[in-house]
Amino acid sequence: MRIFIALLTLFVISVAAAAVGQIRPASVGPTNALALSCRTSPKDSALTVVIYGEKTIALECHITGAPTVNHTTQWIRTGDDCYVPAFYVGLDEATSKSLPECSKLDAAEPCTLPNPAGLELVQHNTGFLDRPHYDITTGLTYIGLGHQCGSAKCDKESVEIRGFPISKTQASVLLWHDLHTTTSCLGYMLSEYSANRTTPLLLSDNMWSALVSWTLSIGCDLAAKSQLVSRIVHGESPAAVVPAELPKWNVIHGMPVSDLTTRRNAELTLFRTRSSHIAFPHCDQK
């Protein structure tokens, strides 16, 4: 476990260093940009949810985020409820502050990884595959630590795979990408809870890690359409919703699957385990 977490930490640092300054629009103006990524939170590593072409963008407010191009830290929330660096919409540090200040709750920055208990749960329930494996139950191909391949040969992945068998380090890199995407999309979905409420939704690291494992297992698209997410976003208590909805996700083609039942039970146990650390909307893990 310590080796795995160390690998992920090293990979996070290398990706973060590579991400800065990737967006280089050919022209910028007060509200114009070309091929500009709009992200779920004010940092370059956050999930891209909108890509703007050269068009007028509605600018709503400014917020201080992670350093980006030219080492500036000002980000702008657009009308699509996502964030772009102020530099790329023609605003500097001073002029960006002419916009209203975004509420800090608007920029959810949940933990980008599950806690150690969550990582162990994910690894234990997926196992390690050093080459593509077609699952006849789901009709999908997997590799590494539960990574769902984009093709039967696993040759169209966001992380290049150079031959088989893959190493556990390569599997860790694939899992990091999967977890990063999963935590970003889950955070984006749950951030809707606070849109019209003065009291934020708070999830402990155990609650968050259990929901990350579930979302990783079923995929962001299904999670977004689920009653579990819908009921939480519409104001119901996660403590009531999750025990009622999570166990339902153990069925494939109308039949219960024992491995999924085991995973859902483990996720529910983790969800119910008390913790004083908050992981959503802002990460306080040390």
Side-chain angles (χ1 to χ4, degrees), residues 29-80:
T31 57
N32 294 299
L34 181 63
L36 176 61
S37 294
C38 196
R39 303 179 185 277
T40 54
S41 62
K43 55 185 178 181
D44 282 313
S45 59
L47 179 70
T48 296
V49 289
V50 178
I51 297 179
Y52 296 118
E54 194 168 6
K55 58 173 285 188
T56 299
I57 302 170
L59 308 179
E60 293 192 344
C61 55
H62 78 90
I63 191 170
T64 300
T68 181
V69 66
N70 293 349
H71 306 290
T72 59
T73 59
Q74 287 302 302
W75 290 70
I76 306 298
R77 191 181 73 192
T78 75
D80 294 301

Side-chain angles (χ1 to χ4, degrees), residues 23 61 86 94 103 138 142 153 170-171 200 215 224 227 245 248 256 268 273:
I23 308 166
C61 55
S103 164
T138 63
Y142 298 90
K153 296 181 180 180
Q170 289 175 296
T215 306
Q227 282 297 303
E245 296 292 338
K248 298 176 182 178
L268 191 53
T273 302

Side-chain angles (χ1 to χ4, degrees), residues 4-125:
F4 173 71
I5 293 174
L7 285 170
L8 287 178
T9 302
L10 179 62
F11 189 71
V12 168
I13 293 171
S14 64
V15 170
V20 175
Q22 284 182 337
I23 308 166
R24 298 185 183 278
S27 63
V28 292
T31 57
N32 294 299
L34 181 63
L36 176 61
S37 294
C38 196
R39 303 179 185 277
T40 54
S41 62
K43 55 185 178 181
D44 282 313
S45 59
L47 179 70
T48 296
V49 289
V50 178
I51 297 179
Y52 296 118
E54 194 168 6
K55 58 173 285 188
T56 299
I57 302 170
L59 308 179
E60 293 192 344
C61 55
H62 78 90
I63 191 170
T64 300
T68 181
V69 66
N70 293 349
H71 306 290
T72 59
T73 59
Q74 287 302 302
W75 290 70
I76 306 298
R77 191 181 73 192
T78 75
D80 294 301
D81 290 326
C82 51
Y83 298 83
V84 297
F87 173 83
Y88 287 121
V89 288
L91 302 178
D92 59 23
E93 192 96 5
T95 55
S96 65
K97 293 181 180 179
S98 63
L99 293 169
E101 185 175 5
C102 303
S103 164
K104 293 212 172 156
L105 291 177
D106 290 336
E109 292 189 49
C111 295
T112 55
L113 292 172
N115 62 10
L119 284 171
E120 184 176 355
L121 189 158
V122 169
Q123 292 180 94
H124 179 75
N125 283 275

Side-chain angles (χ1 to χ4, degrees), residues 106-238:
D106 290 336
E109 292 189 49
C111 295
T112 55
L113 292 172
N115 62 10
L119 284 171
E120 184 176 355
L121 189 158
V122 169
Q123 292 180 94
H124 179 75
N125 283 275
T126 55
F128 171 63
L129 298 169
D130 65 0
R131 60 193 71 240
H133 171 76
Y134 178 76
D135 189 323
I136 192 171
T137 306
T138 63
L140 300 171
T141 300
Y142 298 90
I143 197 171
L145 293 162
H147 174 76
Q148 181 180 319
C149 296
S151 67
K153 296 181 180 180
C154 296
D155 57 357
K156 296 180 180 179
E157 311 312 300
S158 57
V159 177
E160 185 179 1
I161 297 176
R162 298 180 179 178
F164 307 107
I166 67 168
S167 67
K168 289 188 176 180
T169 300
Q170 289 175 296
S172 296
V173 171
L174 284 169
L175 180 59
W176 185 90
H177 273 274
D178 292 343
L179 287 170
H180 183 73
T181 300
T182 299
T183 54
S184 294
C185 76
L186 180 61
Y188 189 66
M189 290 185 283
L190 294 181
S191 65
E192 293 183 29
Y193 175 95
S194 299
N196 298 307
R197 296 176 177 84
T198 56
T199 303
L201 172 67
L202 296 178
L203 297 175
S204 73
D205 59 339
N206 286 335
M207 291 176 165
W208 175 250
S209 296
L211 292 179
V212 168
S213 173
W214 167 72
T215 306
L216 182 67
S217 172
I218 71 169
C220 287
D221 290 343
L222 287 177
K225 299 172 185 176
S226 70
Q227 282 297 303
L228 189 155
V229 168
S230 178
R231 289 175 62 183
I232 291 175
V233 166
H234 286 88
E236 293 188 55
S237 167

